[in-house]
Every structure is written in C-alpha cells, then in structure tokens.
Amino acid sequence: MTVITRFAPSPTGNLHVGNVRTALHNWMWAKKHGGKFLLRIDDTDLERSKEAYVDGIRADLRWLGLDWDGEERQSARFDLYERRFEELKAVGRVYACYETPEELDLRRKVLLGRGLPPVYERKDADAPVPEGRAPHWRFKLDHEAMIEWTDLVRGPQHFDPKLMSDPVIRRADGSWLYMLPSAIDDIDMGITHVVRGEDHVTNTATQLQMFAALGATPPHFAHEALLTGTEGKLSKRLGSLGMDAFKERGIEPMAIIALLARLGTSEPVEPVTTASPLVATIDFGHFGRAPARFDEEELAQLNAKILHHTDFATVADRLPDGMDAVAWDAIRPNISTLADVADWWSVVSGEVNADIPAEDRDYLAEAVKIAASLAWDADPWHALTDALKASSGRKGKALFLPLRQALTGHDHGPDMKALLPLIGQARAIARLEKAAAN
Ligand code: GLU
C-alpha cells in the first residue's frame, strides 16, 4: 500500500501555525513511508476563496520546504461531486430539506429548552413541500450503524448516529459544504491517512458513514490535539500569525519545522538542521491528547540553536558579500537570527568605534607595538594576550576587555581567537591605535 496523505486548506486566509503543523505532519507521514503528499485546495466557497491566498499557501509551503506531489482544486471537481450526489440521492442517502435558518434555530431552542439534544428531526417523506422554496440537501445518517474507528492519536472512538444531526451537504443555490466533497475526494485520490485537528473528530464520524454509503473503505484517521498560545487559547493571536510575521522576525523555516514536528509529542524538541531525523521518528502513537502550548520564545531560542550549527553552504547565499566559511563559523555562535550576522560582519570589516576609559590608553598603546611585531600566524589572539600579560602584568578582565573593546567596539561577542584573524593585522593595529589615542 502506498501511503497518500493530503493537506486541504481552504484559501480564505493565510496559513497559520495550526495549519502548518497539520501540513507538516501529513508531509512527514508520507515521506516516512515513501508515499505521496497532495495539496488539495478546498475552494468550494467561491465567494470567500481568493486566488491570492492560494498563491500564499503555495509560497509558504515552498518556504517551509514542504514539497507536494500533486495539486487538486475542489472547484475543478464539481462534476464528480454532482455524480456521486445523484447516486446517493437515488438510494435515499441524500434528501431535500426546506426549513429556513430561523425555523431550525427556533426548533433547536425548543429542544434545548426541554433538555433534549438539539438533533435535526427528519420530516416525513410525504410532508408537503413549502411553496416557492428551493431545497437544500442533507446526508441521511444510518441510525442503525454505530460509528467506530481506532484513531491513530486518540485510540478507539464511538459515536451513536442517533445523537447526530444529518449534515447539510449542499445549499439551496447548489453550492457545496465541506463534508461530502472532502469524502468524495479522499476516495477518488486514494487517500490512506487523514491527519487533521481534533476539531474534525465529529466530522469524521459523519464522513465514515459517507465512505460506507459511497462503497469505499475509509482511510486511517489521526486527529491531533489543538495548539494553544502562551496566553491560553490559540485562535486569536496564533490564528492571525502568518509565516510572513515569522520571516520578518528572522525565524528560519527549519525552526518552525523542528518545533511543530515534535510539539505535543513525547519526543523532545531538538535543534535539527534537516527534517530527516524528524521524518524518521514520526509516530502518531507518540502524540499527546492534551493541547500543546506553542511558545514564540521557545521558537526564537530554537531558531538561534539551529543557526549555531547550520553549515555555511546552507546559508551562503544569504550572508553579506565577502563572508566565507571561516567567518561564518566564527560568528554563528553569537547570532539569534541571520540578520544579526551583518552587525558582527561589520565588526570584522567595517568601521569600529570604541569608548575607552583613560586608564587603558597606555595599555592599548603597548598593544599596538606588540601587534605590529607579531608574525600574525594561526593564533594572533593568544600571541598578543600572552605578550601583553607578560609586559603589563594585567590578567583576566583587565587584560582582555580593553582589547575586545578597542578591536570590536563591543564588550561581548564572538570568540576573539576566531575573530582576530578575520579582522587582520593592519585593521587590528589601526583600531588599537585609534582607541589608544581616544
Ligand atoms: N478544508 C478543511 C479545513 O481547512 C479540510 C479539513 C480536512 O482535512 O479534511 O478545515
């Protein structure tokens, strides 16, 4: 069996963290099994779907490295839905309804008021058809067939169809609601695993009866617990945080992948630089049932850690001109985002201004002389500081800090041993001279 998964966003907005996590897990599952990952654009709602969002979804998935093996659009598949709808109608699994939203709402309130579940009440087949009203359509649940499946995350699931409303699947204007087209597509595209948020669990119960009514074996289901933000509920903030916001903050796609792959699972979040170790270890049995907390601070820290062992080749085309692998290795331990590189690179190659206390000036004048006399080979920093230690009697902070300040303009920063060869002898002497004369 070839594993086939799909990510099925509705193009009515930008992807947010929750959608991306679903896409990622579907992608990982397909990759792990050498299968296929499909992108299905759920654009049955022609009014709310926008082409710009479709483009945005594709761009975000590409940025994240989530390549897909095929793309389908529901708006191009209405003929198929129509055919299968007619089949279900012919066998009495789809029926016409005429209630207005107001009538349905009133009936719900009455039922709730009596302490009864607000389940839709079917009308007699020979009930009179209200004049001048076009019907909308419901799928008829089989009340005798208990709904059961073993969810890959949630374990055994049971639903009693008698306690569920027959879902509306098509509006009076002929447009489709999500439920039936999705089941038809999952069958037609040979989807083997549906991975989605647990807000879809009751949809799954309904769709399982659709699969049966359409004569198909259902896919496996994995419903993952939802994400929450640090402030509790996910929706408001994370629901509006698109990938552009992360990009702007210097978050690397790999950090998002590394966090979302493992968040809410029993596996630790690790600063990996490729997705392969994540793909190799995905297991829905390791997914927790409790909501997972998405923490932007954790993401920022993970981002930094990942950059600290990202190799030069991966980022070379995004580094300042002239920076080579040696410079990258020297600077990367000190960055949180790739944008920080420019600052440290200008410490190597640009203008440096240091504010040096008066009592350190003679010391730095001495450093100028020693720097000028050094061979400046493999490790000029040790040569310079060893010589200064001997000549000045200084040690520790008093020995190192004025040098760092004069050479970099900062109190902290990358290891001087790695930085000084990059700064070079001529520039180092000039900076020490300038600081001594300060
Ligand atoms: N378009 C649906 C959604 O975004 C797809 C759900 C599913 O995966 O079936 O919620």
Side-chain angles (χ1 to χ4, degrees):
M1 175 187 80
T2 306
V3 166
I4 306 179
T5 63
R6 87 301 195 273
F7 173 50
S10 306
T12 55
N14 292 317
L15 295 187
H16 54 73
V17 174
N19 313 131
V20 166
R21 175 169 171 253
T22 303
L24 172 64
H25 290 151
N26 277 290
W27 178 86
M28 289 166 75
W29 192 250
K31 287 272 167 223
K32 176 173 176 168
H33 294 93
K36 288 201 168 92
F37 168 66
L38 306 181
L39 174 60
R40 188 185 85 197
I41 303 294
D42 280 6
D43 58 348
T44 53
D45 186 338
L46 297 174
E47 229 158 79
R48 288 178 61 229
S49 298
K50 298 268 178 304
E51 207 49 38
Y53 290 130
V54 178
D55 292 340
I57 289 167
R58 291 197 198 105
D60 285 343
L61 291 178
R62 278 195 201 104
W63 180 68
L64 290 159
L66 304 182
D67 47 321
W68 55 103
D69 301 298
E71 182 176 324
E72 301 284 352
R73 293 182 77 120
Q74 290 198 317
S75 59
R77 301 170 59 81
F78 290 153
D79 288 352
L80 173 66
Y81 307 153
E82 194 72 51
R83 273 204 312 280
R84 305 245 58 188
F85 173 82
E86 288 302 331
E87 283 168 36
L88 292 175
K89 206 161 92 183
V91 296
R93 292 303 295 274
V94 158
Y95 62 97
C97 302
Y98 295 89
E99 297 91 342
T100 63
E102 295 74 27
E103 286 164 359
L104 290 170
D105 198 44
L106 187 63
R107 193 61 204 152
R108 269 174 61 85
K109 285 186 180 135
V110 168
L111 290 172
L112 285 169
R114 290 190 197 146
L116 296 168
V119 174
Y120 174 74
E121 299 153 305
R122 293 174 187 161
K123 304 289 169 298
D124 290 337
D126 49 10
V129 171
E131 229 175 287
R133 272 193 213 170
H136 57 276
W137 303 86
R138 287 186 191 257
F139 175 77
K140 190 175 189 178
L141 292 167
D142 178 353
H143 282 175
E144 303 318 312
M146 279 297 283
I147 302 167
E148 292 178 330
W149 79 95
T150 302
D151 195 273
L152 298 178
V153 174
R154 299 163 60 85
Q157 304 290 300
H158 309 272
F159 283 82
D160 181 350
K162 289 196 247 348
L163 301 176
M164 295 161 56
S165 294
D166 289 340
V168 176
I169 53 170
R170 199 171 187 183
R171 300 186 190 88
D173 65 3
S175 63
W176 299 98
L177 282 110
Y178 152 76
M179 206 78 86
L180 182 64
S182 181
I184 293 173
D185 282 345
D186 286 338
I187 296 168
D188 190 60
M189 295 169 197
I191 302 301
T192 59
H193 294 78
V194 170
V195 183
R196 56 189 180 188
E198 69 180 9
D199 49 333
H200 280 290
V201 169
T202 51
N203 289 341
T204 297
T206 301
Q207 286 175 327
L208 280 170
Q209 286 218 347
M210 293 180 176
F211 285 107
L214 292 163
T217 308
H220 297 284
F221 288 90
H223 290 96
E224 40 192 19
L226 300 181
L227 292 180
T228 64
T230 33
E231 65 282 358
K233 279 264 155 53
L234 169 85
S235 336
K236 274 280 159 50
R237 175 160 174 72
L238 288 184
S240 60
L241 261 190
M243 294 305 108
D244 283 351
F246 292 118
K247 224 181 280 184
E248 265 162 40
R249 283 175 216 171
I251 300 295
E252 299 295 315
M254 201 52 229
I256 296 175
I257 298 285
L259 182 60
L260 293 180
R262 293 275 177 87
L263 198 62
T265 77
S266 56
E267 311 269 5
V269 171
E270 288 168 324
V272 292
T273 55
T274 72
S276 4
L278 305 172
V279 166
T281 51
I282 183 173
D283 180 345
F284 292 118
H286 296 164
F287 281 50
R289 298 271 316 256
R293 195 161 144 263
F294 179 87
D295 182 349
E296 287 178 65
E297 188 47 40
E298 185 182 4
L299 179 65
Q301 286 171 15
L302 186 64
N303 193 61
K305 279 193 208 148
I306 288 175
L307 284 170
H308 298 168
H309 49 261
T310 293
D311 59 20
F312 175 68
T314 308
V315 287
D317 58 345
R318 296 164 61 202
L319 296 178
D321 282 347
M323 240 186 105
D324 59 10
V326 176
W328 168 245
D329 288 349
I331 287 171
R332 69 180 177 177
N334 285 80
I335 59 171
S336 304
T337 71
L338 218 52
D340 298 343
V341 171
D343 296 339
W344 290 120
W345 181 241
S346 77
V347 162
V348 170
S349 62
E351 191 73 18
V352 156
N353 291 304
D355 195 9
I356 303 291
E359 68 266 23
D360 287 330
R361 292 190 188 137
D362 290 347
Y363 170 65
L364 290 173
E366 171 76 7
V368 172
K369 279 190 221 142
I370 295 175
S373 72
L374 287 177
W376 211 267
D377 50 14
D379 189 357
W381 176 248
H382 276 110
L384 176 66
T385 51
D386 284 352
L388 276 167
K389 192 175 184 177
S391 68
S392 71
R394 290 188 181 217
K395 53 185 182 186
K397 199 172 160 190
L399 176 70
F400 299 118
L401 186 59
L403 294 173
R404 179 182 279 282
Q405 287 170 331
L407 290 164
T408 70
H410 291 269
D411 291 353
H412 305 279
D415 183 11
M416 288 304 297
K417 176 176 174 239
L419 216 49
L420 201 47
L422 297 172
I423 292 171
Q425 189 165 20
R427 235 177 342 219
I429 291 171
R431 288 178 187 181
L432 291 167
E433 268 170 351
K434 185 170 149 196
N438 208 321

